[in-house]
Amino acid sequence: MYPLHPDQGAFGGLPEQEIPAKARFAVLPVPFDGTSTWLKGADRGPEALLDASANLELYDIETGLEPYQAGIHTFAPMVCESVEEMVAATREACADLLARGYTVAGLGGEHSVSIGLIQAHADRFPGMGVLQVDAHGDTREEYEGTPFNHACVMARARELCPIVQVGIRSLAEEEVAGLDPARVFFAHQIHDRQDWIAAAVELLPEQVYLTIDLDGLDPSIMPSTGTPEPGGLGWYQLQALIRELCRRRRLVGFDVVELLPNPGNPAPDFLAAKLVYRIMAEMLAAETSRF
Protein backbone atom coordinates (compact mmCIF):
# COMPACT_ATOMS: atom_id res chain seq x y z
CA MET A 1 0.00 0.00 0.00
CA TYR A 2 1.28 3.49 -0.83
CA PRO A 3 -0.09 7.02 -1.26
CA LEU A 4 -1.10 7.88 -4.79
CA HIS A 5 0.89 10.45 -6.68
CA PRO A 6 -1.23 13.59 -7.15
CA ASP A 7 -1.49 13.12 -10.91
CA GLN A 8 -3.11 9.74 -10.23
CA GLY A 9 -5.90 11.38 -8.29
CA ALA A 10 -5.05 11.98 -4.63
CA PHE A 11 -8.02 13.26 -2.63
CA GLY A 12 -8.26 17.04 -2.83
CA GLY A 13 -5.59 17.14 -5.54
CA LEU A 14 -3.07 17.81 -2.77
CA PRO A 15 0.65 17.54 -3.53
CA GLU A 16 2.30 14.96 -1.30
CA GLN A 17 4.65 17.57 0.17
CA GLU A 18 1.62 19.42 1.57
CA ILE A 19 0.33 16.37 3.46
CA PRO A 20 1.64 15.72 6.99
CA ALA A 21 3.69 12.55 7.24
CA LYS A 22 1.47 11.50 10.15
CA ALA A 23 -1.86 11.90 8.39
CA ARG A 24 -5.20 11.38 10.15
CA PHE A 25 -7.26 10.04 7.25
CA ALA A 26 -6.64 7.21 4.79
CA VAL A 27 -8.74 7.25 1.65
CA LEU A 28 -9.03 3.69 0.30
CA PRO A 29 -10.57 3.37 -3.19
CA VAL A 30 -12.19 0.03 -3.99
CA PRO A 31 -13.31 0.18 -7.65
CA PHE A 32 -15.30 -3.05 -7.70
CA ASP A 33 -18.56 -3.64 -9.58
CA GLY A 34 -18.90 -7.39 -9.82
CA THR A 35 -22.35 -8.10 -8.32
CA SER A 36 -24.48 -5.06 -9.19
CA THR A 37 -27.77 -6.03 -10.78
CA TRP A 38 -28.99 -3.06 -12.83
CA LEU A 39 -26.81 -0.20 -14.10
CA LYS A 40 -23.09 -0.95 -14.27
CA GLY A 41 -20.20 1.44 -13.79
CA ALA A 42 -19.71 1.86 -10.04
CA ASP A 43 -16.14 0.67 -10.53
CA ARG A 44 -15.52 4.10 -12.08
CA GLY A 45 -16.89 5.84 -8.99
CA PRO A 46 -13.73 6.19 -6.89
CA GLU A 47 -11.75 7.75 -9.72
CA ALA A 48 -14.56 10.18 -10.55
CA LEU A 49 -14.91 11.16 -6.89
CA LEU A 50 -11.17 11.73 -6.54
CA ASP A 51 -11.03 13.75 -9.75
CA ALA A 52 -13.90 15.94 -8.53
CA SER A 53 -12.30 16.38 -5.11
CA ALA A 54 -9.47 18.36 -6.69
CA ASN A 55 -12.01 21.17 -7.15
CA LEU A 56 -13.12 21.36 -3.52
CA GLU A 57 -12.58 24.52 -1.51
CA LEU A 58 -10.58 23.15 1.39
CA TYR A 59 -12.15 25.46 3.98
CA ASP A 60 -15.32 23.99 5.49
CA ILE A 61 -17.82 26.77 6.22
CA GLU A 62 -20.00 24.86 8.68
CA THR A 63 -17.17 23.90 11.03
CA GLY A 64 -14.65 26.64 10.25
CA LEU A 65 -12.01 23.94 9.71
CA GLU A 66 -9.68 22.81 6.95
CA PRO A 67 -9.69 19.02 7.35
CA TYR A 68 -6.82 18.55 4.89
CA GLN A 69 -4.51 20.05 7.51
CA ALA A 70 -5.06 16.92 9.62
CA GLY A 71 -3.60 14.95 6.71
CA ILE A 72 -5.33 12.89 4.06
CA HIS A 73 -3.36 10.07 2.45
CA THR A 74 -4.90 8.49 -0.63
CA PHE A 75 -3.95 4.88 -1.17
CA ALA A 76 -3.74 2.76 -4.29
CA PRO A 77 -7.03 1.30 -5.55
CA MET A 78 -7.90 -2.25 -4.52
CA VAL A 79 -8.25 -4.11 -7.81
CA CYS A 80 -9.77 -7.60 -7.49
CA GLU A 81 -11.46 -10.08 -9.82
CA SER A 82 -14.02 -11.83 -7.61
CA VAL A 83 -16.21 -10.52 -4.80
CA GLU A 84 -14.74 -13.05 -2.38
CA GLU A 85 -11.21 -11.89 -3.22
CA MET A 86 -12.26 -8.26 -2.91
CA VAL A 87 -13.86 -8.68 0.52
CA ALA A 88 -10.81 -10.49 1.90
CA ALA A 89 -8.30 -8.05 0.37
CA THR A 90 -10.24 -5.00 1.53
CA ARG A 91 -10.54 -6.37 5.04
CA GLU A 92 -6.79 -6.98 5.16
CA ALA A 93 -5.85 -3.59 3.74
CA CYS A 94 -8.25 -1.75 6.03
CA ALA A 95 -6.98 -3.65 9.08
CA ASP A 96 -3.43 -2.60 8.18
CA LEU A 97 -4.42 1.06 7.89
CA LEU A 98 -6.30 0.96 11.19
CA ALA A 99 -3.30 -0.59 12.90
CA ARG A 100 -1.22 2.29 11.59
CA GLY A 101 -3.51 4.79 13.26
CA TYR A 102 -5.53 6.03 10.30
CA THR A 103 -9.23 6.79 10.20
CA VAL A 104 -10.29 5.00 7.02
CA ALA A 105 -12.61 6.47 4.40
CA GLY A 106 -13.57 3.77 1.91
CA LEU A 107 -14.65 4.72 -1.60
CA GLY A 108 -16.82 2.41 -3.68
CA GLY A 109 -17.48 0.76 -6.02
CA GLU A 110 -20.67 -1.13 -5.36
CA HIS A 111 -21.91 -1.60 -1.81
CA SER A 112 -20.30 -5.01 -1.38
CA VAL A 113 -16.98 -3.19 -0.82
CA SER A 114 -18.31 -2.18 2.60
CA ILE A 115 -18.29 -5.77 3.87
CA GLY A 116 -14.54 -6.03 4.30
CA LEU A 117 -14.34 -2.49 5.67
CA ILE A 118 -17.01 -3.24 8.28
CA GLN A 119 -15.35 -6.53 9.22
CA ALA A 120 -11.98 -4.85 9.76
CA HIS A 121 -13.53 -2.12 11.90
CA ALA A 122 -15.53 -4.64 13.96
CA ASP A 123 -12.27 -6.49 14.67
CA ARG A 124 -10.59 -3.26 15.72
CA PHE A 125 -13.50 -1.74 17.66
CA PRO A 126 -15.40 -4.49 19.51
CA GLY A 127 -18.94 -3.48 20.41
CA MET A 128 -19.28 -0.93 17.64
CA GLY A 129 -22.47 -0.40 15.64
CA VAL A 130 -23.15 0.37 11.98
CA LEU A 131 -25.30 3.21 10.69
CA GLN A 132 -26.48 2.63 7.13
CA VAL A 133 -27.85 5.34 4.84
CA ASP A 134 -29.41 3.62 1.84
CA ALA A 135 -32.45 3.25 -0.36
CA HIS A 136 -32.33 -0.53 0.05
CA GLY A 137 -32.32 -2.84 3.03
CA ASP A 138 -29.40 -4.94 1.71
CA THR A 139 -30.29 -7.69 4.19
CA ARG A 140 -30.64 -10.72 1.95
CA GLU A 141 -28.71 -13.65 3.41
CA GLU A 142 -27.53 -14.60 -0.08
CA TYR A 143 -28.15 -13.27 -3.56
CA GLU A 144 -27.18 -14.62 -6.96
CA GLY A 145 -25.08 -17.36 -5.40
CA THR A 146 -22.99 -15.41 -2.91
CA PRO A 147 -23.43 -14.04 0.63
CA PHE A 148 -21.15 -11.14 -0.37
CA ASN A 149 -23.47 -9.63 -2.97
CA HIS A 150 -24.20 -5.90 -2.70
CA ALA A 151 -27.71 -6.93 -1.58
CA CYS A 152 -26.25 -8.76 1.44
CA VAL A 153 -24.08 -6.04 3.01
CA MET A 154 -26.20 -5.39 6.08
CA ALA A 155 -26.89 -9.08 6.62
CA ARG A 156 -23.15 -9.49 7.02
CA ALA A 157 -22.93 -6.39 9.22
CA ARG A 158 -25.66 -7.51 11.64
CA GLU A 159 -23.79 -10.78 12.17
CA LEU A 160 -21.09 -8.67 13.82
CA CYS A 161 -22.83 -5.77 15.55
CA PRO A 162 -26.07 -3.81 15.97
CA ILE A 163 -27.22 -1.84 12.95
CA VAL A 164 -29.48 1.15 12.31
CA GLN A 165 -30.90 1.73 8.82
CA VAL A 166 -31.93 5.13 7.47
CA GLY A 167 -33.66 6.18 4.26
CA ILE A 168 -34.90 2.72 3.31
CA ARG A 169 -37.57 2.71 0.61
CA SER A 170 -37.02 -0.55 -1.29
CA LEU A 171 -37.12 -4.09 0.10
CA ALA A 172 -37.54 -7.65 -1.08
CA GLU A 173 -40.37 -9.52 0.63
CA GLU A 174 -37.88 -12.01 2.02
CA GLU A 175 -36.13 -9.22 3.95
CA VAL A 176 -39.17 -7.99 5.86
CA ALA A 177 -39.30 -10.69 8.53
CA GLY A 178 -35.68 -10.12 9.53
CA LEU A 179 -35.93 -6.36 9.95
CA ASP A 180 -36.18 -4.75 13.36
CA PRO A 181 -38.75 -1.99 12.74
CA ALA A 182 -37.50 -0.09 15.78
CA ARG A 183 -34.10 0.27 14.10
CA VAL A 184 -35.27 1.11 10.57
CA PHE A 185 -36.11 4.69 9.61
CA PHE A 186 -38.09 4.35 6.42
CA ALA A 187 -37.86 7.25 3.98
CA HIS A 188 -41.62 7.80 3.79
CA GLN A 189 -41.73 8.24 7.57
CA ILE A 190 -38.90 10.78 7.88
CA HIS A 191 -38.86 12.78 4.65
CA ASP A 192 -40.48 15.90 6.12
CA ARG A 193 -39.12 15.66 9.68
CA GLN A 194 -35.90 16.11 11.63
CA ASP A 195 -36.91 14.68 15.02
CA TRP A 196 -35.96 11.15 13.96
CA ILE A 197 -32.25 12.01 13.81
CA ALA A 198 -31.64 12.04 17.55
CA ALA A 199 -33.67 8.84 17.91
CA ALA A 200 -31.57 7.06 15.27
CA VAL A 201 -28.29 8.06 16.89
CA GLU A 202 -29.58 7.12 20.36
CA LEU A 203 -29.97 3.50 19.19
CA LEU A 204 -26.27 3.21 18.37
CA PRO A 205 -23.42 2.23 20.72
CA GLU A 206 -20.59 4.61 21.56
CA GLN A 207 -18.45 3.63 18.56
CA VAL A 208 -20.04 3.69 15.10
CA TYR A 209 -19.11 2.87 11.52
CA LEU A 210 -21.05 4.82 8.88
CA THR A 211 -21.82 3.36 5.45
CA ILE A 212 -23.46 5.66 2.89
CA ASP A 213 -24.89 4.23 -0.28
CA LEU A 214 -25.41 7.31 -2.42
CA ASP A 215 -28.81 6.05 -3.55
CA GLY A 216 -29.92 6.93 -0.02
CA LEU A 217 -30.03 10.48 -1.33
CA ASP A 218 -32.85 11.64 -3.55
CA PRO A 219 -32.11 11.20 -7.28
CA SER A 220 -32.92 14.88 -7.84
CA ILE A 221 -29.49 15.60 -6.35
CA MET A 222 -27.88 12.17 -6.80
CA PRO A 223 -28.97 10.57 -10.09
CA SER A 224 -25.60 8.90 -10.63
CA THR A 225 -26.18 5.56 -8.93
CA GLY A 226 -26.90 2.07 -10.17
CA THR A 227 -30.39 1.95 -8.63
CA PRO A 228 -31.83 5.47 -8.26
CA GLU A 229 -34.95 5.34 -6.09
CA PRO A 230 -37.34 8.29 -5.70
CA GLY A 231 -38.01 9.80 -2.29
CA GLY A 232 -34.55 9.89 -0.75
CA LEU A 233 -32.83 12.14 1.78
CA GLY A 234 -31.88 15.71 0.99
CA TRP A 235 -28.37 17.10 1.37
CA TYR A 236 -29.02 19.05 4.55
CA GLN A 237 -31.02 16.25 6.12
CA LEU A 238 -28.02 13.96 5.66
CA GLN A 239 -25.67 16.64 7.01
CA ALA A 240 -27.80 17.00 10.13
CA LEU A 241 -27.60 13.23 10.69
CA ILE A 242 -23.81 13.19 10.26
CA ARG A 243 -23.39 16.15 12.61
CA GLU A 244 -25.55 14.58 15.32
CA LEU A 245 -23.75 11.27 14.94
CA CYS A 246 -20.30 12.85 15.29
CA ARG A 247 -21.31 14.99 18.26
CA ARG A 248 -22.96 12.23 20.25
CA ARG A 249 -20.97 9.16 19.23
CA ARG A 250 -17.43 8.32 18.15
CA LEU A 251 -17.32 7.76 14.41
CA VAL A 252 -14.52 5.24 13.85
CA GLY A 253 -14.67 4.96 10.06
CA PHE A 254 -16.91 5.38 7.05
CA ASP A 255 -17.48 4.66 3.41
CA VAL A 256 -19.27 6.32 0.49
CA VAL A 257 -20.29 3.89 -2.23
CA GLU A 258 -22.36 3.34 -5.38
CA LEU A 259 -21.32 6.42 -7.36
CA LEU A 260 -21.93 5.59 -11.01
CA PRO A 261 -20.48 8.61 -12.81
CA ASN A 262 -22.18 10.17 -15.81
CA PRO A 263 -19.69 12.13 -17.96
CA GLY A 264 -22.50 14.46 -18.98
CA ASN A 265 -23.26 15.47 -15.38
CA PRO A 266 -20.26 15.85 -13.05
CA ALA A 267 -22.32 17.45 -10.24
CA PRO A 268 -23.00 14.12 -8.43
CA ASP A 269 -19.27 13.31 -8.51
CA PHE A 270 -18.59 16.60 -6.76
CA LEU A 271 -21.41 15.95 -4.27
CA ALA A 272 -19.82 12.62 -3.34
CA ALA A 273 -16.39 14.23 -2.91
CA LYS A 274 -17.81 17.03 -0.77
CA LEU A 275 -19.69 14.48 1.32
CA VAL A 276 -16.45 12.67 2.15
CA TYR A 277 -14.78 15.96 3.10
CA ARG A 278 -17.77 17.10 5.17
CA ILE A 279 -17.73 13.88 7.17
CA MET A 280 -14.05 14.48 7.94
CA ALA A 281 -14.85 18.04 8.99
CA GLU A 282 -17.67 17.00 11.32
CA MET A 283 -15.49 14.31 12.89
CA LEU A 284 -12.72 16.81 13.62
CA ALA A 285 -15.14 19.48 14.87
CA ALA A 286 -16.80 17.07 17.29
CA GLU A 287 -13.44 15.92 18.65
CA THR A 288 -12.33 19.51 19.16
CA SER A 289 -15.49 20.33 21.13
CA ARG A 290 -14.93 17.39 23.47
CA PHE A 291 -11.57 18.66 24.74
Side-chain angles (χ1 to χ4, degrees):
M1 300 291 291
Y2 55 91
L4 292 176
H5 190 274
D7 65 11
Q8 293 176 284
F11 189 89
L14 297 167
E16 283 297 310
Q17 62 267 26
E18 293 186 15
I19 303 174
K22 182 62 176 177
R24 165 65 185 276
F25 297 101
V27 173
L28 182 62
V30 190
F32 184 81
D33 190 23
T35 76
S36 58
T37 47
W38 185 19
L39 302 175
K40 293 286 189 179
D43 54 324
R44 295 183 281 110
E47 182 180 3
L49 188 158
L50 290 170
D51 287 347
S53 75
N55 300 287
L56 287 167
E57 294 286 4
L58 298 175
Y59 174 77
D60 181 72
I61 293 174
E62 293 173 62
T63 62
L65 299 176
E66 294 183 301
Y68 84 94
Q69 292 189 355
I72 304 170
H73 281 164
T74 307
F75 287 81
M78 305 288 301
V79 180
C80 303
E81 294 296 323
S82 71
V83 66
E84 292 81 10
E85 177 191 0
M86 181 275 296
V87 169
T90 303
R91 182 177 188 171
E92 181 179 3
C94 183
D96 175 66
L97 293 172
L98 292 173
R100 292 158 63 184
Y102 286 107
T103 296
V104 176
L107 306 183
E110 62 170 63
H111 208 171
S112 63
V113 308
S114 304
I115 297 174
L117 296 169
I118 291 169
Q119 290 172 339
H121 281 83
D123 291 339
R124 185 75 178 180
F125 303 103
M128 76 168 200
V130 176
L131 175 60
Q132 171 202 17
V133 175
D134 205 321
H136 307 87
D138 289 349
T139 54
R140 288 175 166 95
E141 288 301 321
E142 182 178 291
Y143 194 63
E144 296 191 336
T146 175
F148 300 124
N149 190 282
H150 70 99
C152 307
V153 176
M154 298 311 293
R156 303 288 75 78
R158 69 186 178 189
E159 292 173 343
L160 304 171
C161 56
I163 67 172
V164 171
Q165 301 175 278
V166 168
I168 308 302
R169 53 197 188 277
S170 181
L171 289 171
E173 191 278 334
E174 68 192 78
E175 296 180 270
V176 175
L179 292 179
D180 180 351
R183 306 181 74 85
V184 181
F185 293 79
F186 290 103
H188 72 279
Q189 297 172 332
I190 65 173
H191 71 95
D192 58 350
R193 299 164 39 208
Q194 293 275 34
D195 57 347
W196 60 271
I197 293 174
V201 173
E202 188 64 30
L203 291 168
L204 292 160
E206 175 58 28
Q207 299 184 112
V208 180
Y209 182 89
L210 172 64
T211 179
I212 298 179
D213 184 328
L214 288 167
D215 67 26
L217 289 164
D218 192 77
S220 62
I221 60 170
M222 178 45 69
S224 298
T225 72
T227 49
E229 288 273 354
L233 300 181
W235 173 258
Y236 286 109
Q237 201 175 25
L238 178 57
Q239 298 307 309
L241 174 62
I242 293 166
R243 186 176 304 113
E244 184 79 0
L245 174 65
C246 290
R247 289 178 179 177
R248 295 181 54 193
R249 296 294 186 267
R250 181 188 173 203
L251 184 57
V252 296
F254 67 95
D255 63 63
V256 174
V257 302
E258 294 284 358
L259 174 65
L260 196 163
N262 173 4
N265 182 11
D269 307 347
F270 187 82
L271 183 155
K274 186 156 187 171
L275 178 58
V276 170
Y277 200 60
R278 287 248 58 254
I279 296 170
M280 294 176 178
E282 292 292 353
M283 291 179 72
L284 294 170
E287 291 164 6
T288 301
S289 68
R290 290 190 188 117
F291 298 101

